[in-house]
Amino acid sequence: MSTVKVQVLLSSYNGDSYITEQVQSILRQSYPEVSILIRDDGSTDSTIELVEELMRIYPGRITLIPGSNVGVVASFFELLRSADPEADYYCFCDQDDVWLEHKVEEAVKRLESSVHAEVPAMLSTSTYLTDENLNRKGIWPKPPARGPSFLNALFENIAIGATITMNTSARNLFIQCSPVNSKQVMMHDWWVYLMVSAFGTVIYDHTPSMLYRQHGHNVVGGSNSLLGKLKSKWASFKRHTGNGLLRKQAQEFYRIYGPRLQGERKEQLEEFIGPRNSFLSRVHYVRKCRSYRQSRVETLLFKLFILTGFI
């Protein structure tokens, strides 16, 4: 397995508080064939200087792409396009977490033993939620009750980006199609979950693979407290309903991959993005809808939002 190459794709932005610790945790992995590609999204602090110092300490292990500020989704999409074509697996990575020593090794073992290389595949895991000092606060999120699927991916993302490992076939599914309009996409990890669940295999490993640091500047955060969960869910529903981005994401996915979809997946996607200008048309959609969120309550709430015209 030592001949299998893994490249870590890290998007940085004003990350000088934590990026050194994160990079060191990657380079301490038990799996030996790991390199890091960092795209900086226009940092104004000392992030680039810290990365350049790490490049001197670990020669040949880190590549830096200085970039302009395009936002997290576009930055990760650029990383996918710029990734080493000779790598066998690619890991998304945030700048402020800490990886457990066996994260890469366990992901490669699971994917190598479960999926043929020609099948697009990804693995994501749970995490140990921590405070900013890495004091553990529990495992997050709960394992998905109904499991990953394309029908789930239309309504919900269960793949935490910083835990994702994907194979070359999954990357090829992205780079060999029309360019994605990142402004139509909720998050880069959600897009990959949609893509791979539509055409390949998604594995969710309940065992945490990293310390998911929570601080005042997380782009996406987690919580195990009741109040924190409620706030997180409310923020999620607001993102989905306030600007129509969930349907825009589905429409963008259909524009790119619609001709390749078949059967129920294509039917359900077409139903979701179709016009629903009247209450009767919304009732018709809800009756035919088989998409779901992992929680039954959240699925019912989503369908209520659809009936009332918010989604």
Side-chain angles (χ1 to χ4, degrees):
M1 191 170 65
S2 62
T3 59
V4 175
K5 292 175 62 178
V6 178
Q7 186 171 54
V8 176
L9 309 178
L10 191 161
S11 178
S12 62
Y13 178 69
N14 289 348
D16 60 5
S17 296
Y18 306 116
I19 194 167
T20 297
E21 190 173 16
Q22 170 65 299
V23 168
Q24 289 174 338
S25 78
I26 298 166
L27 296 177
R28 287 197 301 265
Q29 289 291 296
S30 59
Y31 191 80
E33 296 293 330
V34 179
S35 64
I36 307 175
L37 177 63
I38 300 175
R39 181 193 180 276
D40 187 76
D41 196 36
S43 291
T44 57
D45 64 359
S46 60
T47 296
I48 288 181
E49 288 80 2
L50 289 173
V51 171
E52 289 173 340
E53 176 62 22
L54 288 164
M55 293 169 70
R56 286 189 286 272
I57 297 171
Y58 303 99
R61 302 287 304 276
I62 305 167
T63 302
L64 173 65
I65 304 173
S68 59
N69 184 246
V70 296
V72 62
V73 176
S75 187
F76 272 106
F77 284 173
E78 180 59 32
L79 279 163
L80 276 174
R81 287 187 288 267
S82 303
D84 179 4
E86 300 298 320
D88 301 282
Y89 293 96
Y90 306 90
C91 303
F92 282 153
C93 180
D94 292 342
Q95 65 188 4
D96 43 11
D97 305 314
V98 169
W99 285 12
L100 301 179
E101 183 179 354
H102 298 288
K103 181 183 187 299
V104 173
E105 182 176 1
E106 292 301 319
V108 170
K109 281 182 180 178
R110 185 75 181 274
L111 288 164
E112 289 275 291
S113 64
S114 303
V115 187
H116 194 279
E118 294 180 358
V119 177
M122 60 172 277
L123 176 142
S124 65
T125 77
S126 297
T127 72
Y128 287 116
L129 204 65
T130 79
D131 61 20
E132 62 182 344
N133 298 314
L134 299 180
N135 297 307
R136 299 185 187 187
K137 300 192 291 184
I139 295 176
W140 182 86
K142 292 192 303 182
R146 299 181 62 182
S149 76
F150 180 69
L151 296 182
N152 176 232
L154 284 176
F155 275 15
E156 179 182 20
N157 180 31
I158 61 169
I160 300 170
T163 72
I164 288 177
T165 302
M166 73 187 82
N167 65 4
T168 297
S169 294
R171 175 180 177 262
N172 288 343
L173 192 58
F174 176 82
I175 65 172
Q176 293 174 359
C177 290
S178 300
V180 184
N181 181 354
S182 62
K183 294 182 179 179
Q184 305 296 312
V185 174
M186 300 286 292
M187 282 297 284
H188 59 287
D189 47 11
W190 197 333
W191 186 262
V192 172
Y193 177 36
L194 266 171
M195 187 179 68
V196 178
S197 64
F199 301 105
T201 299
V202 177
I203 299 171
Y204 191 96
D205 190 336
H206 303 172
T207 305
S209 63
M210 52 172 269
L211 306 180
Y212 190 20
R213 194 194 310 257
Q214 298 297 287
H215 52 82
H217 304 288
N218 293 87
V219 175
V220 177
S223 176
N224 274 333
S225 70
L226 178 59
L227 180 59
K229 288 178 180 179
L230 289 173
K231 288 172 65 177
S232 176
K233 293 300 181 186
W234 179 245
S236 174
F237 282 127
K238 282 174 65 180
R239 286 198 304 273
H240 299 156
T241 61
N243 54 16
L245 190 53
L246 187 62
R247 288 187 72 187
K248 291 177 182 177
Q249 175 173 264
Q251 290 165 345
E252 180 71 356
F253 190 83
Y254 187 79
R255 180 184 71 81
I256 296 173
Y257 296 107
R260 300 175 60 174
L261 285 170
Q262 297 179 345
E264 182 184 49
R265 292 170 181 173
K266 186 168 188 175
E267 176 187 324
Q268 288 291 309
L269 177 57
E270 288 176 340
E271 289 284 343
F272 181 53
I273 65 177
R276 297 192 291 271
N277 299 322
S278 68
F279 181 71
L280 285 178
S281 65
R282 294 193 288 271
V283 170
H284 173 77
Y285 170 69
V286 167
R287 283 177 173 173
K288 295 190 69 174
C289 175
R290 298 195 63 245
S291 295
Y292 61 90
R293 289 176 70 91
Q294 295 294 325
S295 160
R296 292 180 182 271
V297 172
E298 289 182 23
T299 300
L300 289 172
L301 184 57
F302 241 59
K303 290 183 177 180
L304 177 62
F305 281 148
I306 290 168
L307 285 172
T308 54
F310 285 108
I311 296 179

PDB file of all heavy atoms in Angstrom, residues 21 105 238 248:
ATOM      1  N   GLU A  21       0.205  23.995  13.120  1.00  0.00           N
ATOM      2  CA  GLU A  21      -0.159  22.786  13.862  1.00  0.00           C
ATOM      3  C   GLU A  21      -0.892  21.798  12.957  1.00  0.00           C
ATOM      4  O   GLU A  21      -0.666  20.593  13.025  1.00  0.00           O
ATOM      5  CB  GLU A  21      -1.028  23.167  15.065  1.00  0.00           C
ATOM      6  CG  GLU A  21      -1.280  22.036  16.042  1.00  0.00           C
ATOM      7  CD  GLU A  21      -1.994  22.501  17.294  1.00  0.00           C
ATOM      8  OE1 GLU A  21      -2.558  23.618  17.287  1.00  0.00           O
ATOM      9  OE2 GLU A  21      -2.009  21.735  18.280  1.00  0.00           O
ATOM     10  N   GLU A 105      -4.133   6.683   6.650  1.00  0.00           N
ATOM     11  CA  GLU A 105      -3.937   5.241   6.520  1.00  0.00           C
ATOM     12  C   GLU A 105      -5.269   4.487   6.568  1.00  0.00           C
ATOM     13  O   GLU A 105      -5.527   3.601   5.738  1.00  0.00           O
ATOM     14  CB  GLU A 105      -3.008   4.733   7.629  1.00  0.00           C
ATOM     15  CG  GLU A 105      -2.708   3.250   7.530  1.00  0.00           C
ATOM     16  CD  GLU A 105      -1.715   2.789   8.589  1.00  0.00           C
ATOM     17  OE1 GLU A 105      -1.279   3.619   9.412  1.00  0.00           O
ATOM     18  OE2 GLU A 105      -1.372   1.591   8.577  1.00  0.00           O
ATOM     19  N   LYS A 238     -32.126  28.487   7.229  1.00  0.00           N
ATOM     20  CA  LYS A 238     -32.139  29.841   6.661  1.00  0.00           C
ATOM     21  C   LYS A 238     -31.337  29.901   5.368  1.00  0.00           C
ATOM     22  O   LYS A 238     -31.746  30.547   4.403  1.00  0.00           O
ATOM     23  CB  LYS A 238     -31.585  30.844   7.687  1.00  0.00           C
ATOM     24  CG  LYS A 238     -32.566  31.229   8.776  1.00  0.00           C
ATOM     25  CD  LYS A 238     -31.916  32.111   9.828  1.00  0.00           C
ATOM     26  CE  LYS A 238     -31.490  33.448   9.258  1.00  0.00           C
ATOM     27  NZ  LYS A 238     -30.856  34.312  10.266  1.00  0.00           N
ATOM     28  N   LYS A 248     -30.801  26.093  -6.593  1.00  0.00           N
ATOM     29  CA  LYS A 248     -29.803  26.528  -7.579  1.00  0.00           C
ATOM     30  C   LYS A 248     -28.676  25.506  -7.686  1.00  0.00           C
ATOM     31  O   LYS A 248     -28.174  25.227  -8.778  1.00  0.00           O
ATOM     32  CB  LYS A 248     -29.244  27.897  -7.196  1.00  0.00           C
ATOM     33  CG  LYS A 248     -30.240  29.043  -7.325  1.00  0.00           C
ATOM     34  CD  LYS A 248     -29.625  30.360  -6.863  1.00  0.00           C
ATOM     35  CE  LYS A 248     -30.629  31.497  -6.934  1.00  0.00           C
ATOM     36  NZ  LYS A 248     -30.062  32.767  -6.413  1.00  0.00           N
TER      37      LYS A 248
END
